[in-house]
Amino acid sequence: KYDINAEIKDITIKTLQNTTINTQVVDTQGNIITQDMDVEVFLGNVSVLNTTTRDSKLDITIPTDKYLAGKYDLTFKFKGNEKYNPLDKTVKLTIENRDAIVNIITNTPKTLEELEITVNVNENTTPLNGGYVVLLINSKTLKDTNNKTIKLPVENGVVKYNYNLLGLYKAGMHNITAKYINKYYNTAINTTKFNVLLTDITGELNPITAKTLEKITVNIPIVDENGNKLIKDTKVVVKLNGKTYQKMEIKDGQLAFNISSERFRADKTYTLKIILGKNSIYNNLSLNTTINMQIRKVNIEIEPIVDIHTTQLIPVNALIKDMEGNPIDGRVLFKINGKTQLDENLKPVFFEV
């Protein structure tokens, strides 16, 4: 019997790819064999194909498309026949992972809106199926409510995901990373930036009309642009006629404070400006209005004076109230027959009320 040989060299392929062999089988003198023979192919220790040479050629496709990346022994067992001896020939099969390309597209959300994320996964220009994408914002992996990594399956080369920012990310630029994971591909990573804008806030401050000596109360809700209660404490400055009157910090967006009207003069109009400073979530807001101070009118009731002698001191009793019936404090002077009562220094005499 004749010994045989087949020229099969070490092979390198990509994952998801079958291995093709096309070689001439000859004897040791280089002559083409004249009788075909059975051949069994092993990948490692696993038989993966039984075939037969045809016209002295081994022209086959070996099913390697389900194998992971790695190095394998690929063995061909030529069984021989009545004319030729058997032959075992082993080569190295190297399977390499494929390469994918990841691109990220986002919107420009506000601090309390959703970040809309689109990830495209392709090999060259071919959209991929299978595998999954993991997202990271500022290097922190996005997880579900059970603290498990969110794995987004890839279909037709696309992943879409909306992530509610919930005020967790301050306004400004942030990094987002998409990591494509597939056992047949090298891990593909891409990082880009997205911008977060401040959420606007609003409140209604109407003109104020008050009377002297009256406490002025301001109590208005401040909400975000969607009408929702504020979730972050906000610093506030209150200004009267351009001068700082009070500084405070409000919670839940409820703006409430009092202004003492003792500092105001009657029949004048004052400006009220409320400034809410911006923070990591909300934009700043200025509210402007006027305070119109009205004079408080009073009513004086003097008890009748009777049976007074010319040399007698005159007892005077007067009840002084405002028009709402509230007692008034202050000083008064009296006139008799239209003349103001004077002391020995010819100065008006004031009486405390």
Side-chain angles (χ1 to χ4, degrees):
K1 289 186 179 183
Y2 296 96
D3 291 332
I4 60 172
N5 190 27
E7 186 176 356
I8 306 174
K9 296 181 179 180
D10 291 345
I11 304 166
T12 298
I13 62 169
K14 295 288 187 181
T15 52
L16 303 176
Q17 180 180 341
N18 289 322
T19 304
T20 58
I21 302 294
N22 189 337
T23 186
Q24 187 78 56
V25 183
V26 297
D27 63 22
T28 52
Q29 283 75 43
N31 300 312
I32 295 173
I33 64 172
T34 57
Q35 291 183 5
D36 289 325
M37 65 186 69
D38 294 334
V39 181
E40 188 172 6
V41 182
F42 288 81
L43 196 58
N45 296 320
V46 179
S47 175
V48 293
L49 182 66
N50 283 281
T51 186
T52 302
T53 60
R54 292 287 184 267
D55 298 327
S56 73
K57 289 183 178 181
L58 182 64
D59 187 2
I60 58 173
T61 299
I62 304 169
T64 53
D65 58 326
K66 298 297 190 293
Y67 280 79
L68 301 179
K71 293 183 179 295
Y72 300 87
D73 287 332
L74 183 60
T75 301
F76 301 84
K77 288 185 174 290
F78 294 85
K79 300 299 181 69
N81 52 36
E82 65 270 13
K83 187 175 181 178
Y84 298 102
N85 290 319
L87 170 68
D88 286 356
K89 188 171 185 68
T90 299
V91 297
K92 290 293 183 183
L93 173 64
T94 301
I95 302 178
E96 298 176 342
N97 274 332
R98 309 181 80 88
D99 292 310
I101 300 172
V102 174
N103 287 308
I104 310 168
I105 302 171
T106 70
N107 64 335
T108 301
K110 293 189 175 183
T111 49
L112 296 172
E113 293 179 339
E114 289 187 341
L115 176 65
E116 299 172 3
I117 307 164
T118 298
V119 181
N120 295 305
V121 184
N122 298 286
E123 182 178 1
N124 298 318
T125 58
T126 303
L128 297 183
N129 285 289
Y132 59 90
V133 167
V134 172
L135 297 171
L136 300 88
I137 295 180
N138 296 338
S139 301
K140 186 175 181 180
T141 301
L142 299 190
K143 297 185 177 182
D144 60 19
T145 53
N146 296 317
N147 202 35
K148 293 184 178 180
T149 298
I150 297 172
K151 299 178 180 180
L152 305 169
V154 178
E155 296 181 5
N156 297 319
V158 177
V159 167
K160 289 184 178 293
Y161 186 69
N162 289 355
Y163 179 64
N164 196 330
L165 298 180
L166 297 173
L168 299 175
Y169 300 89
K170 65 181 182 180
M173 301 302 295
H174 299 268
N175 291 326
I176 180 169
T177 300
K179 184 184 296 185
Y180 176 61
I181 299 172
N182 185 323
K183 62 183 180 181
Y184 298 117
Y185 284 79
N186 291 316
T187 299
I189 301 175
N190 192 12
T191 298
T192 189
K193 292 184 179 295
F194 67 94
N195 191 21
V196 177
L197 304 178
L198 288 171
T199 298
D200 291 329
I201 57 177
T202 185
E204 185 175 358
L205 182 60
N206 297 316
I208 299 170
T209 299
K211 294 181 178 180
T212 53
L213 305 179
E214 185 175 77
K215 182 174 69 174
I216 299 172
T217 298
V218 177
N219 192 342
I220 58 175
I222 305 296
V223 296
D224 69 20
E225 59 192 68
N226 299 310
N228 299 314
K229 185 192 305 184
L230 303 191
I231 62 172
K232 187 175 180 66
D233 295 349
T234 305
K235 292 183 178 180
V236 179
V237 176
V238 178
K239 291 191 173 185
L240 292 174
N241 279 0
K243 294 183 179 181
T244 299
Y245 172 75
Q246 185 177 357
K247 293 182 179 180
M248 68 186 79
E249 190 170 76
I250 63 172
K251 298 180 180 296
D252 300 328
Q254 193 61 40
L255 177 59
F257 61 92
N258 296 320
I259 301 175
S260 173
S261 63
E262 292 179 358
R263 63 175 56 231
F264 298 125
R265 293 178 59 185
D267 295 327
K268 288 195 66 175
T269 299
Y270 297 83
T271 61
L272 172 62
K273 186 183 185 81
I274 301 174
I275 303 170
L276 294 96
K278 70 179 180 180
N279 51 37
S280 62
I281 298 178
Y282 300 110
N283 215 337
N284 60 334
L285 174 67
S286 291
L287 300 174
N288 296 277
T289 192
T290 57
I291 301 175
N292 181 26
M293 294 304 301
Q294 297 179 344
I295 193 167
R296 183 177 293 276
K297 297 180 179 180
V298 299
N299 182 47
I300 302 176
E301 296 179 2
I302 303 175
E303 294 181 2
I305 302 172
V306 295
D307 299 329
I308 299 299
H309 298 288
T310 55
T311 59
Q312 182 181 346
L313 292 175
I314 302 173
V316 179
N317 292 310
L319 180 62
I320 304 173
K321 297 182 178 181
D322 62 20
M323 300 305 292
E324 286 77 30
N326 301 307
I328 296 297
D329 294 331
R331 297 191 302 167
V332 298
L333 56 79
F334 291 95
K335 291 184 179 183
I336 298 177
N337 292 336
K339 294 184 179 182
T340 301
Q341 297 302 295
L342 305 176
D343 61 15
E344 62 271 16
N345 297 316
L346 301 179
K347 292 183 178 181
V349 178
F350 288 92
F351 297 90
E352 297 293 331
V353 179

